[in-house]
């Protein structure tokens, strides 16, 4: 299960969060845990440099992209490597939408589209589409494979 | 972007106030910041417009609800204006004043949607929706159900794809929004709980329950629409439908119907997937639409609950493997692999055709979808290991060979999954046999590519046509992964190595003989690991592979892998390092030298970056490692020792103690001494501060620089001392009831030096433990000393001579404080009085000494009697025997108060009495083993320890799980610490591989965690109070060494706070009900002394009765030196009386300003009602609230004069 996708700005304000199968009372903890991880490690990180963490049997992969930080949390089949895959798709799509590594402004400008994109990438806690073109088509309500 | 750092989600909705103002005339009037109530009023006309248009579409429900909705809108707007008002200050903080933009409120957005929905055919409305309204709505964490009608209308009327896409998105969110308090998966700015809001409205509002059926209705209709032009929307409708709560069986049944309906149409068409068709353009329109629908249906199916008994379900999933859409294939495989867990036979049969070479499953190997191949690996593993398929080895081998081929996969994720599957790691259920078999497979089997593989594919597998041993493939792959720069890859690779270690350990523990069959052992003399029987034994005959020559062995492969693993410890990410260390711990074998591991861990622990949670995780790994290989006990203890001494503040003392205990049991007869040494070393080592010189008094030294870690170390030392006292006899195999030395001989060796010499020569383990405890009894902090004295008593009672006498002497000295200077001159240097004068520990020790006194006196008596009888050649009369027996029983009773002894065997009167007591017993038919039914005995659980006749847990091949668990459970029971039960559960949880709950971030930040157990909270409050008291004790102890106040508080913190096993608490309920205060200790004494007095002669002669010792103690409590603030028990009593009885009043003597939230400011002369007292504070109530508005709170005792 892909437990969470969380996007925050550089000072730890949360911009987007999608939890799947995380009890409501634990979300706050995850949120602060992730933001703290980011604050500790992402200061001088390069764009899209992947970081990894774990808590019990849960894996966390996070990275920085322009002004925003991305965190994905997963367990079972979504281990570090699968999460790396997922975060790769997400960063790629965000870059496409914002044309380049986003500033916070551009990210917020494209907020709606990003939400839709995320909706196509992670569907009920399961990674769905990984192909960028396909995601773009689906966001525009086109069929996944065009004829 | 100068102020970008301050922007938040609110900023987004602030970005452009346009939509509301430009949307329509009515909203243009309502400026965003104006009072929402008036805005709502002006809005009302527009609402019916929306509803009429929707009812004109044949949905009449809303028309009837017109008035209700109007009311609802009003309430909603009011709520939201309140919410907006709350958000307002935040906004002004974020946005500089110069910006005039105001955030768009939720109600405005909602309004805009209603309006724009009505005019959705206009381009401008569509633009508004897409660019302003919908993106802003996404910021909120839930969607108001009352928007649904408008959304549905848009869904039906609007043509714009982007608008429609948003509509599906929001409809899905309304469907999924089932969290309480409006908490959904969405996150974002909190919104009200719409349903609750609607319920408050007496007339009735729009709740989810109202709209969900309509949404489902409409979406289902769309999802069943067969129009080919419509099929993209069809997929989205289907997707949105899957968000409906699966608890509703009606909806579920409907969804199944739709999904299978689609599959009925599109799945059966026979199609052979062509190479390169995956996800690429091309092909005819019909087949592409079909494949899109296949994808949509399978994706939806994946989100629905499994239906294992349903053949159609399985059938469709199996068909899915041949679909053209890669994601559909992935979902199909995932569904199948989950089904295979439940019914492997059915799955294997259903897959019959696709698994053959050239079949669809083989094609998946080349599918460009990592997760699909991962699912394939899992599927292959499940089927090839299924018991149900034992009769079909052909099928199993097909899947097996597929699994082995996945080892060549270009993606690490897939390759590692295959390795884990081969190793027998599939889910969190760990089965040793499966693991062992996994190691066997990995080391012995070969990858043979199928014959016709070369025909059907032209990938790199052709280059490696020659059969390859799995182990080599895996090792090579892992080594290259360790050279990766990507942290996730490193982390994953280390994890795979860890799993390898687990399987290897499992292979070890099930015994190698059946694995090694037919392999010559001493063939390779150049094997580095020649001393390692396993590496020899399980070494595969790699010469079979031909290409690599016969030099390569598993051992050498492993050695080179481990070399790479060790270098990975240089990674800057602690999580990777932690995983590497875990891997190293697992790959460590009992016979290998662990110097390298030790030095790695030592240097790692010096790094302050390690979070505590991670260190505890490693500690738990040690636990797991021990469970797998009990032989490792000593090694693991050594590692644990490093943790204990390097980072006492970060690790969980309870888990550590559990590890000590389990290791001690598992260490075997020869390892026990070493195991105990490993524990005692904690007592000797200097504190972890870098640069601090090796101090003689570690605890005090640390406290100067870092109170927190000092406290932790102190707790650890206490735990170690207790552990030592409780287990030294076990470790030393020295028991009074098995000792052959008659008591008389010991009495003759009263010369202390000789005694010590004799003792240490006879049993160095026990003597060593004694020495350490003696040192602790002198030099530690108060808590440590008290525990040490108790530990010594326990040992005195359990050990035979000369140890008992030695301890007896020592305790006497301790009580009088006379010999302190002799024995601890080295500790005097720190300038602090050790406090072991008669007034200190004496109070506590005197009962202990008395027990020993009793025993010795009775022994003397007995010897005298025996001599008398011998001299006069008299038979023992029944009365004499009875008296003897009663004395024996009495002493047993007393001794049992202090620690557990086996009543049947224990002879307080010495071995010499055994015969006489036996005579009496046989005469009167008394069974000797009554003692075992003593509840205290069962509760303490020490019995396991003392009875070595129990199945020896030390056997290397079979550490009895039950025993260890019983042990661990006992640890919780014997009152060692309030928190050890959680420690146990933590260990169990870890061993079971569970644990996905949220991490704790910062102890300071987390005030109360809802998931915390009651025990934890209890323990925490106790701990905190003891910390306070402890500081109190320390300060007063140093300023006035003779102050009883300090003794008292430390005692109370000791008994009450730490909940340590005290002398008194070994019998939990029989004496007094409360164990949390010293007072109850006194009570227990009283009752035990009454037993005492009810008994016969020799005790009566004893001058100071127990009752008087209690009296002494109460005297000491009234010591004037003790400050009134210190928690004296009198005042506690008093306060208790207060709470139970009539209230007490008082007046404030001075002004007092509250220093914290729970404190109360006072003006002198103010009248207050005293509720209760706690730790030098009164909890008082005022008659009327003070200037700060508070009525009640804590004030210092001295500030209030009770009347």
């Amino acid at each position: 299960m892909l437990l969470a996708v969380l996007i925050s700005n550089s000072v730890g304000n949360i911009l987007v969060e999608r939890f799947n199968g995380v009890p409501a009372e634990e979300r706050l903890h995850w949120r602060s845990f992730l933001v703290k991880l980011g604050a500790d490690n992402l200061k001088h990180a390069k764009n899209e440099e992947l970081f990894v963490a774990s808590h019990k049997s849960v894996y966390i992969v996070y990275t920085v992209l322009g002004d925003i930080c991305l965190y994905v949390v997963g367990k079972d089949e979504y281990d570090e490597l699968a999460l790396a895959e997922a975060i790769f798709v997400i960063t790629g799509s965000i870059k496409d939408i914002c044309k380049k590594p986003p500033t916070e402004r551009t990210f917020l400008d494209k907020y709606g589209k990003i939400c839709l994109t995320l909706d196509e990438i992670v569907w009920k806690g399961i990674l769905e589409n990984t192909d960028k073109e396909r995601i773009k088509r689906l966001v525009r309500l086109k069929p996944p494979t065009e004829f | 972007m100068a102020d970008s750092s301050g922007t938040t989600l609110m900023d987004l909705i602030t970005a452009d106030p346009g939509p509301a103002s430009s949307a329509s005339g009515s909203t243009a009037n309502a400026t965003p910041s104006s009072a929402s109530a008036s805005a709502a009023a002006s809005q009302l006309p527009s609402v019916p417009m929306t509803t009429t248009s929707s009812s004109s579409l044949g949905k009449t429900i809303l028309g009837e609800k017109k008035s209700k909705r109007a009311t609802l809108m009003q309430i909603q707007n009011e709520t939201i204006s309140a919410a907006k008002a709350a958000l307002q200050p935040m906004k002004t903080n974020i946005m500089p004043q110069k910006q005039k933009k105001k955030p768009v409120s939720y109600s405005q957005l909602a309004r805009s949607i209603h309006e724009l929905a009505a005019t959705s055919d206009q381009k401008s409305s569509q633009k508004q929706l897409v660019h302003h309204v919908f993106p802003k709505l996404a910021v909120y964490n839930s969607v108001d159900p009352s928007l649904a009608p408008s959304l549905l209308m848009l869904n039906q009327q609007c043509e714009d794809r982007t608008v429609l896409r948003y509509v599906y998105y929001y409809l899905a969110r309304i469907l999924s929004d089932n969290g309480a308090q409006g908490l959904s998966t969405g996150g974002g700015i909190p919104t009200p709980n719409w349903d609750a809001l609607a319920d408050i409205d007496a007339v009735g509002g729009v709740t989810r329950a109202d709209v969900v059926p309509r949404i489902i209705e409409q979406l289902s209709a769309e999802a069943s629409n067969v129009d080919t032009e419509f099929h993209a929307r069809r997929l989205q409708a289907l997707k949105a439908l899957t968000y409906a709560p699966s608890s509703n069986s009606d909806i579920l049944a409907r969804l199944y119907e739709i999904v299978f309906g689609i599959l009925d149409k599109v799945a059966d068409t026979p199609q052979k997937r062509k190479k390169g068709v995956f996800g690429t353009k091309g092909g005819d329109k019909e087949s592409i639409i079909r494949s899109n629908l296949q994808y949509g249906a399978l994706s939806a199916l994946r989100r629905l609950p499994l239906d294992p008994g349903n053949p159609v379900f399985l059938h469709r999933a199996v068909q899915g493997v041949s679909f053209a859409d890669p994601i559909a294939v992935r979902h199909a495989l995932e569904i199948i692999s989950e089904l295979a867990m439940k019914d492997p036979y059915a799955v294997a049969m259903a897959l019959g055709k696709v698994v053959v070479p050239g079949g669809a499953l083989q094609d998946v190997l080349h599918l460009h979808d990592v997760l699909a191949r991962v699912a394939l690996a899992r599927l292959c593993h499940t089927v090839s290991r299924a018991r149900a398929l034992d009769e079909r080895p052909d099928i199993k081998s097909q899947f097996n060979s597929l699994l082995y081929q996945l080892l060549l996969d270009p993606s690490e994720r897939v390759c590692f999954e295959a390795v884990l599957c081969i190793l027998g790691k599939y889910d969190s259920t760990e089965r040793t046999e499966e693991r062992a078999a996994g190691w066997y497979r990995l080391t012995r089997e070969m990858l043979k590519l199928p014959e016709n593989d070369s025909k059907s594919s032209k990938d790199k597998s052709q280059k490696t046509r020659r059969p390859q041993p799995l182990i080599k493939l895996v090792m090579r792959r892992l080594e290259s992964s360790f050279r990766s720069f990507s942290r996730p890859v490193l982390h994953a690779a280390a994890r795979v190595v860890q799993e390898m270690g687990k399987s290897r350990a499992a292979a070890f523990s099930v015994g190698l003989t059946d694995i090694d069959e037919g392999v010559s052992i001493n063939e390779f003399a150049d094997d580095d690991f020649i001393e390692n029987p396993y590496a020899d034994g399980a070494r595969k005959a790699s010469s079979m592979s031909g290409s690599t020559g016969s030099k390569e062995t598993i051992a050498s492969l492993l050695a080179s892998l481990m070399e790479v693993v060790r270098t990975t410890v240089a990674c800057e990410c602690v999580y990777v390092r932690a995983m590497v260390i875990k891997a190293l711990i697992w790959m460590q074998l009992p016979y290998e030298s662990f110097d390298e591991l030790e030095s790695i861990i030592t240097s790692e622990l010096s790094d302050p970056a390690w979070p505590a949670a991670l260190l505890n995780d490693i500690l738990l790994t040690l636990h797991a490692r021990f469970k797998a290989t009990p032989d490792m006990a000593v090694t693991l203890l050594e590692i644990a020792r490093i943790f204990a001494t390097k980072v006492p503040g970060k690790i969980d003392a309870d888990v550590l103690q559990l590890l000590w205990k389990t290791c001690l049991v598992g260490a075997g007869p020869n390892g026990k001494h070493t195991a105990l040494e490993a524990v005692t070393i904690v007592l000797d080592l200097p504190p972890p501060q870098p640069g601090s010189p090796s101090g003689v008094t570690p605890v005090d030294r640390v406290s100067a620089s870092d109170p927190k870690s000092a406290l932790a170390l102190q707790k650890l030392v206490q735990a170690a001392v207790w552990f030592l006292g409780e287990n030294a006899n076990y470790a030393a195999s020295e028991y009074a009831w098995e000792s052959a030395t008659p008591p008389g001989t010991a009495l003759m060796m009263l010369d202390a030096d000789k005694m010590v010499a004799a003792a240490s020569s006879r049993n160095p383990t026990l003597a060593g433990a004694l020495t350490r405890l003696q040192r602790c009894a002198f030099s530690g902090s108060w808590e440590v000393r008290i525990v040490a004295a108790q530990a010594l008593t326990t040992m005195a009672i359990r050990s035979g001579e000369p140890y008992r006498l030695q301890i007896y002497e020592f305790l006497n000295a301790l009580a009088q404080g006379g010999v302190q200077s002799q024995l601890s001159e080295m500790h005097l240097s720190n300038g602090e009085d050790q406090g072991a004068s008669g007034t200190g520990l004496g109070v506590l020790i005197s009962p202990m000494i008395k027990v020993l006194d009793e025993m010795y006196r009775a022994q003397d008596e007995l010897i005298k009697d025996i001599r008398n009888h011998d001299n006069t050649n008299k038979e023992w009369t029944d009365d004499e025997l009875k008296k003897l027996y009663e004395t024996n029983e009495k002493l047993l009773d007393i001794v049992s108060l202090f620690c557990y002894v086996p009543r049947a065997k224990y002879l307080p009167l010495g071995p010499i009495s055994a015969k006489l007591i036996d005579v009496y017993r046989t005469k009167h038919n008394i069974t000797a083993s009554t003692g075992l039914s003593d509840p205290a005995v069962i509760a303490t659980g020490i019995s396991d320890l003392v009875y070595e006749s129990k199945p020896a847990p030390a056997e290397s091949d079979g550490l009895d799980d039950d025993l260890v668990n019983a042990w661990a459970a006992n640890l919780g029971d014997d009152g060692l610490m309030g928190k050890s039960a959680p420690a146990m559960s933590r260990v169990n949880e870890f061993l079971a591989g569970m644990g996905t709950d949220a991490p704790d971030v910062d102890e300071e930040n987390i005030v109360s965690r809802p998931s915390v157990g009651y025990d934890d909270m209890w323990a925490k409050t106790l701990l905190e109070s003891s910390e306070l008291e402890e500081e109190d004790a320390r300060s007063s102890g140093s300023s006035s060494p003779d102050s009883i106040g300090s003794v008292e508080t430390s005692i109370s913190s000791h008994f009450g706070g730490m909940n340590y096993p005290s002398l008194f608490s070994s019998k939990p309920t029989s004496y007094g009900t409360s164990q949390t205060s010293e007072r109850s200790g006194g009570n227990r004494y009283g009752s035990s002394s009454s037993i005492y007095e009810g008994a016969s002669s020799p005790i009566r002669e004893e001058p100071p009765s127990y009752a008087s010792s209690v009296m002494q103690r109460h005297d000491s409590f009234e010591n004037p030196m003790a400050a009134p603030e210190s928690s004296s028990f009198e005042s506690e009593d008093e306060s208790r009386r207060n709470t139970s009885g009539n209230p007490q009043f008082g007046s404030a003597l001075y002004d007092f300003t509250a220093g914290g939230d729970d404190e109360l400011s006072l003006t002198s002369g103010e009248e207050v009602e005293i509720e209760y007292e706690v730790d030098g504070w009164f909890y008082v109530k005022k008659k009327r609230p003070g200037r700060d508005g508070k009525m009640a709170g804590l004030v210092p005792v001295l500030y209030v004069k009770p009347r």
Side-chain angles (χ1 to χ4, degrees), chain B residues 582-593:
Chain B
K582 285 189 208 170
L584 289 173
I585 290 172
W586 273 106
M587 291 303 280
Q588 183 78 31
L589 291 176
Y591 309 113
E592 293 168 8
S593 130

Side-chain angles (χ1 to χ4, degrees), chain B residues 17 56 174 188 190 262 311 385 583 708 815 914 965 1074:
Chain B
S56 71
I174 292 178
I262 297 174
R385 303 287 161 263
K708 214 170 163 190
N965 285 339
S1074 153

Side-chain angles (χ1 to χ4, degrees), chain A residues 17-19 27 36 49-50 56 77 79-80 104 108 119-120 123-124 127-128 134 141 145, chain B residues 7 12 161 165 184 186 236 239 242 292 295 299 303 325 330-331 413 487 491 495 995 1001:
Chain A
E17 61 179 5
R18 298 283 178 272
F19 282 110
R27 291 180 186 169
K36 188 169 183 296
E49 181 184 5
L50 291 181
K56 299 189 178 175
E77 67 264 44
D79 65 2
E80 326 78 344
E104 202 173 327
L108 290 178
D119 186 50
E120 293 295 351
W123 171 355
K124 284 191 98 178
L127 187 66
E128 182 71 12
R134 190 179 165 119
L141 203 69
T145 312
Chain B
T7 46
L12 170 63
R161 284 181 177 280
R165 182 63 189 84
S184 70
Q236 286 297 345
K239 175 174 179 173
T242 60
N292 284 342
Y295 152 74
S299 286
R303 270 79 185 180
D325 191 285
R330 181 215 301 164
H331 289 317
R413 176 72 188 84
R487 294 182 190 89
H491 194 265
R495 194 160 51 86
V1001 177

Side-chain angles (χ1 to χ4, degrees), chain B residues 838-884:
Chain B
T839 47
L841 283 180
V843 167
L844 199 77
I845 291 176
S846 60
M848 310 182 191
I849 294 175
K850 259 167 215 126
V851 177
L852 295 174
D853 270 345
E854 269 325 303
M855 285 170 64
Y856 280 127
R857 187 168 293 116
Q859 281 176 11
D860 283 352
E861 201 88 352
L862 175 65
I863 290 170
K864 211 160 72 191
D865 277 356
I866 290 176
R867 285 213 185 111
N868 281 342
H869 281 86
D870 283 355
N871 288 348
T872 53
N873 232 343
K874 224 166 43 178
E875 282 295 304
W876 284 71
T877 65
D878 195 50
D879 273 353
E880 282 167 326
L881 282 175
K882 185 176 179 202
K883 192 181 131 199
L884 183 72

Side-chain angles (χ1 to χ4, degrees), chain B residues 178-196:
Chain B
N178 51 1
Q181 285 87 44
L183 260 179
S184 70
T185 58
I189 293 177
T191 42
N193 180 354
W194 305 113
D195 284 2

Side-chain angles (χ1 to χ4, degrees), chain B residues 713-736:
Chain B
L713 185 65
Q714 166 134 334
K715 210 174 151 221
L716 214 57
V717 168
Q718 257 172 289
V721 166
W722 178 85
F723 185 85
L724 212 54
E726 205 51 54
N727 300 311
N729 286 84
Y730 170 75
S733 313
E734 162 73 39
Y735 296 115

